[in-house]
Amino acid sequence: MIVEAAGRLFFGSGFARVSMDDLARELGMSKKTIYRHFPDKRSLLAAVLDRQFAAVERTLVAATEDAAGQPFAVRVQRFLIAAGSELGRIGAPQLASGRGDTMLRQYVEQRVDAVVYQRLDELFREGHQQGLLPAPPELLSEITRGALERLLMSELPRDLAWTAADLLRATVDTVLYGAIRPTGQGIDDEQPRAVIPTARDDDQEVDP
């Protein structure tokens, strides 16, 4: 009951703005009772975050299972949309900024990495092994992490009058679909591809 009420207040008003007095009033109990279960506000927040990330994990597992057997592009899209929606719902990017609290920032970053990004890395590695991703999976992971986190912190949903989910779908279309090769297409088949130079010579023109 305490964790549920704390989650409502923390995510509704912001962790820094909610005091233990506020929580005691919300619950109709004394602070002493709260402190009997949680020695301080930070330990209570940790319990709230554990509960929230457990819900995120259940959602991602369900999204993965629902997309099983679908084309690789659909599996990636559904996973990212589920991840973006869940991280936005719990305010993970704002929490990861730490509000000046290094321990809080590190805790949230670790949980996001374990619950979301390790699964995403595995999905990209699988696509690469199947010959669907010519680009290194590590590169795609970094690009997608940056896009997802930036989008969740961005004002674009408001400025463009799009939902965050719509923008995430557009991001998937723009960044990932161009990297996905249809099954059966060989690595040497003619197709546009990025050329990564191994060295730079300013006096020599490099053809595209």
PDB file of all heavy atoms in Angstrom, residues 91-97 147-157:
ATOM      1  N   GLY A  91       8.487   7.759 -16.670  1.00  0.00           N
ATOM      2  CA  GLY A  91       9.394   8.901 -16.593  1.00  0.00           C
ATOM      3  C   GLY A  91      10.850   8.512 -16.431  1.00  0.00           C
ATOM      4  O   GLY A  91      11.626   9.214 -15.788  1.00  0.00           O
ATOM      5  N   ALA A  92      11.257   7.395 -17.057  1.00  0.00           N
ATOM      6  CA  ALA A  92      12.623   6.897 -16.881  1.00  0.00           C
ATOM      7  C   ALA A  92      13.695   7.893 -17.320  1.00  0.00           C
ATOM      8  O   ALA A  92      14.705   8.041 -16.631  1.00  0.00           O
ATOM      9  CB  ALA A  92      12.798   5.571 -17.623  1.00  0.00           C
ATOM     10  N   PRO A  93      13.529   8.597 -18.462  1.00  0.00           N
ATOM     11  CA  PRO A  93      14.591   9.533 -18.846  1.00  0.00           C
ATOM     12  C   PRO A  93      14.797  10.640 -17.817  1.00  0.00           C
ATOM     13  O   PRO A  93      15.923  11.024 -17.507  1.00  0.00           O
ATOM     14  CB  PRO A  93      14.101  10.103 -20.179  1.00  0.00           C
ATOM     15  CG  PRO A  93      13.175   9.073 -20.710  1.00  0.00           C
ATOM     16  CD  PRO A  93      12.497   8.503 -19.501  1.00  0.00           C
ATOM     17  N   GLN A  94      13.683  11.167 -17.273  1.00  0.00           N
ATOM     18  CA  GLN A  94      13.805  12.212 -16.254  1.00  0.00           C
ATOM     19  C   GLN A  94      14.442  11.661 -14.988  1.00  0.00           C
ATOM     20  O   GLN A  94      15.274  12.314 -14.357  1.00  0.00           O
ATOM     21  CB  GLN A  94      12.423  12.801 -15.945  1.00  0.00           C
ATOM     22  CG  GLN A  94      11.802  13.576 -17.107  1.00  0.00           C
ATOM     23  CD  GLN A  94      11.090  12.686 -18.106  1.00  0.00           C
ATOM     24  OE1 GLN A  94      11.091  11.455 -17.985  1.00  0.00           O
ATOM     25  NE2 GLN A  94      10.485  13.285 -19.111  1.00  0.00           N
ATOM     26  N   LEU A  95      14.070  10.442 -14.616  1.00  0.00           N
ATOM     27  CA  LEU A  95      14.671   9.819 -13.440  1.00  0.00           C
ATOM     28  C   LEU A  95      16.158   9.559 -13.659  1.00  0.00           C
ATOM     29  O   LEU A  95      16.972   9.727 -12.752  1.00  0.00           O
ATOM     30  CB  LEU A  95      13.964   8.501 -13.120  1.00  0.00           C
ATOM     31  CG  LEU A  95      12.547   8.620 -12.553  1.00  0.00           C
ATOM     32  CD1 LEU A  95      11.884   7.255 -12.538  1.00  0.00           C
ATOM     33  CD2 LEU A  95      12.570   9.209 -11.164  1.00  0.00           C
ATOM     34  N   ALA A  96      16.517   9.170 -14.893  1.00  0.00           N
ATOM     35  CA  ALA A  96      17.913   8.867 -15.176  1.00  0.00           C
ATOM     36  C   ALA A  96      18.780  10.115 -15.144  1.00  0.00           C
ATOM     37  O   ALA A  96      19.988  10.019 -14.984  1.00  0.00           O
ATOM     38  CB  ALA A  96      18.035   8.175 -16.537  1.00  0.00           C
ATOM     39  N   SER A  97      18.160  11.287 -15.316  1.00  0.00           N
ATOM     40  CA  SER A  97      18.947  12.519 -15.197  1.00  0.00           C
ATOM     41  C   SER A  97      19.402  12.731 -13.762  1.00  0.00           C
ATOM     42  O   SER A  97      20.341  13.473 -13.492  1.00  0.00           O
ATOM     43  CB  SER A  97      18.130  13.724 -15.670  1.00  0.00           C
ATOM     44  OG  SER A  97      17.062  13.999 -14.773  1.00  0.00           O
ATOM     45  N   ALA A 147      18.293   7.462 -30.014  1.00  0.00           N
ATOM     46  CA  ALA A 147      17.042   7.977 -30.568  1.00  0.00           C
ATOM     47  C   ALA A 147      15.899   7.830 -29.578  1.00  0.00           C
ATOM     48  O   ALA A 147      15.085   8.742 -29.395  1.00  0.00           O
ATOM     49  CB  ALA A 147      16.714   7.247 -31.870  1.00  0.00           C
ATOM     50  N   LEU A 148      15.823   6.679 -28.927  1.00  0.00           N
ATOM     51  CA  LEU A 148      14.739   6.426 -27.977  1.00  0.00           C
ATOM     52  C   LEU A 148      14.815   7.384 -26.794  1.00  0.00           C
ATOM     53  O   LEU A 148      13.816   8.011 -26.423  1.00  0.00           O
ATOM     54  CB  LEU A 148      14.808   4.984 -27.505  1.00  0.00           C
ATOM     55  CG  LEU A 148      13.776   4.522 -26.476  1.00  0.00           C
ATOM     56  CD1 LEU A 148      12.368   4.726 -27.009  1.00  0.00           C
ATOM     57  CD2 LEU A 148      14.002   3.062 -26.111  1.00  0.00           C
ATOM     58  N   GLU A 149      15.994   7.528 -26.213  1.00  0.00           N
ATOM     59  CA  GLU A 149      16.133   8.385 -25.042  1.00  0.00           C
ATOM     60  C   GLU A 149      15.911   9.852 -25.398  1.00  0.00           C
ATOM     61  O   GLU A 149      15.281  10.606 -24.653  1.00  0.00           O
ATOM     62  CB  GLU A 149      17.509   8.182 -24.416  1.00  0.00           C
ATOM     63  CG  GLU A 149      17.652   6.801 -23.786  1.00  0.00           C
ATOM     64  CD  GLU A 149      19.063   6.502 -23.328  1.00  0.00           C
ATOM     65  OE1 GLU A 149      19.936   7.394 -23.469  1.00  0.00           O
ATOM     66  OE2 GLU A 149      19.305   5.379 -22.845  1.00  0.00           O
ATOM     67  N   ARG A 150      16.438  10.270 -26.545  1.00  0.00           N
ATOM     68  CA  ARG A 150      16.258  11.663 -26.976  1.00  0.00           C
ATOM     69  C   ARG A 150      14.790  11.955 -27.241  1.00  0.00           C
ATOM     70  O   ARG A 150      14.281  13.022 -26.876  1.00  0.00           O
ATOM     71  CB  ARG A 150      17.090  11.911 -28.230  1.00  0.00           C
ATOM     72  CG  ARG A 150      16.960  13.306 -28.798  1.00  0.00           C
ATOM     73  CD  ARG A 150      17.545  14.350 -27.882  1.00  0.00           C
ATOM     74  NE  ARG A 150      17.426  15.682 -28.446  1.00  0.00           N
ATOM     75  CZ  ARG A 150      17.761  16.787 -27.803  1.00  0.00           C
ATOM     76  NH1 ARG A 150      18.244  16.706 -26.568  1.00  0.00           N
ATOM     77  NH2 ARG A 150      17.630  17.965 -28.368  1.00  0.00           N
ATOM     78  N   LEU A 151      14.112  11.030 -27.875  1.00  0.00           N
ATOM     79  CA  LEU A 151      12.700  11.232 -28.200  1.00  0.00           C
ATOM     80  C   LEU A 151      11.860  11.376 -26.938  1.00  0.00           C
ATOM     81  O   LEU A 151      10.967  12.225 -26.860  1.00  0.00           O
ATOM     82  CB  LEU A 151      12.187  10.069 -29.046  1.00  0.00           C
ATOM     83  CG  LEU A 151      10.706  10.081 -29.415  1.00  0.00           C
ATOM     84  CD1 LEU A 151      10.368  11.350 -30.195  1.00  0.00           C
ATOM     85  CD2 LEU A 151      10.371   8.847 -30.246  1.00  0.00           C
ATOM     86  N   LEU A 152      12.149  10.567 -25.929  1.00  0.00           N
ATOM     87  CA  LEU A 152      11.368  10.611 -24.696  1.00  0.00           C
ATOM     88  C   LEU A 152      11.589  11.930 -23.936  1.00  0.00           C
ATOM     89  O   LEU A 152      10.730  12.343 -23.163  1.00  0.00           O
ATOM     90  CB  LEU A 152      11.725   9.425 -23.811  1.00  0.00           C
ATOM     91  CG  LEU A 152      11.263   8.061 -24.339  1.00  0.00           C
ATOM     92  CD1 LEU A 152      11.837   6.950 -23.481  1.00  0.00           C
ATOM     93  CD2 LEU A 152       9.750   7.970 -24.366  1.00  0.00           C
ATOM     94  N   MET A 153      12.741  12.575 -24.153  1.00  0.00           N
ATOM     95  CA  MET A 153      13.032  13.844 -23.487  1.00  0.00           C
ATOM     96  C   MET A 153      12.637  15.038 -24.343  1.00  0.00           C
ATOM     97  O   MET A 153      12.672  16.183 -23.894  1.00  0.00           O
ATOM     98  CB  MET A 153      14.528  13.929 -23.172  1.00  0.00           C
ATOM     99  CG  MET A 153      15.027  12.906 -22.180  1.00  0.00           C
ATOM    100  SD  MET A 153      14.483  13.259 -20.499  1.00  0.00           S
ATOM    101  CE  MET A 153      15.538  14.662 -20.105  1.00  0.00           C
ATOM    102  N   SER A 154      12.264  14.780 -25.593  1.00  0.00           N
ATOM    103  CA  SER A 154      12.071  15.838 -26.570  1.00  0.00           C
ATOM    104  C   SER A 154      10.707  16.516 -26.433  1.00  0.00           C
ATOM    105  O   SER A 154       9.758  15.967 -25.872  1.00  0.00           O
ATOM    106  CB  SER A 154      12.209  15.250 -27.979  1.00  0.00           C
ATOM    107  OG  SER A 154      11.890  16.203 -28.965  1.00  0.00           O
ATOM    108  N   GLU A 155      10.646  17.730 -26.998  1.00  0.00           N
ATOM    109  CA  GLU A 155       9.373  18.453 -27.086  1.00  0.00           C
ATOM    110  C   GLU A 155       8.671  18.182 -28.416  1.00  0.00           C
ATOM    111  O   GLU A 155       7.619  18.760 -28.682  1.00  0.00           O
ATOM    112  CB  GLU A 155       9.626  19.961 -26.956  1.00  0.00           C
ATOM    113  CG  GLU A 155      10.207  20.395 -25.619  1.00  0.00           C
ATOM    114  CD  GLU A 155       9.235  20.165 -24.470  1.00  0.00           C
ATOM    115  OE1 GLU A 155       8.011  20.256 -24.701  1.00  0.00           O
ATOM    116  OE2 GLU A 155       9.694  19.885 -23.350  1.00  0.00           O
ATOM    117  N   LEU A 156       9.236  17.316 -29.245  1.00  0.00           N
ATOM    118  CA  LEU A 156       8.662  17.060 -30.558  1.00  0.00           C
ATOM    119  C   LEU A 156       7.213  16.574 -30.517  1.00  0.00           C
ATOM    120  O   LEU A 156       6.412  16.996 -31.349  1.00  0.00           O
ATOM    121  CB  LEU A 156       9.522  16.060 -31.326  1.00  0.00           C
ATOM    122  CG  LEU A 156      10.716  16.631 -32.092  1.00  0.00           C
ATOM    123  CD1 LEU A 156      11.489  15.511 -32.762  1.00  0.00           C
ATOM    124  CD2 LEU A 156      10.285  17.670 -33.106  1.00  0.00           C
ATOM    125  N   PRO A 157       6.856  15.670 -29.591  1.00  0.00           N
ATOM    126  CA  PRO A 157       5.445  15.257 -29.575  1.00  0.00           C
ATOM    127  C   PRO A 157       4.492  16.437 -29.450  1.00  0.00           C
ATOM    128  O   PRO A 157       3.460  16.493 -30.134  1.00  0.00           O
ATOM    129  CB  PRO A 157       5.372  14.335 -28.343  1.00  0.00           C
ATOM    130  CG  PRO A 157       6.747  13.782 -28.221  1.00  0.00           C
ATOM    131  CD  PRO A 157       7.660  14.909 -28.616  1.00  0.00           C
TER     132      PRO A 157
END
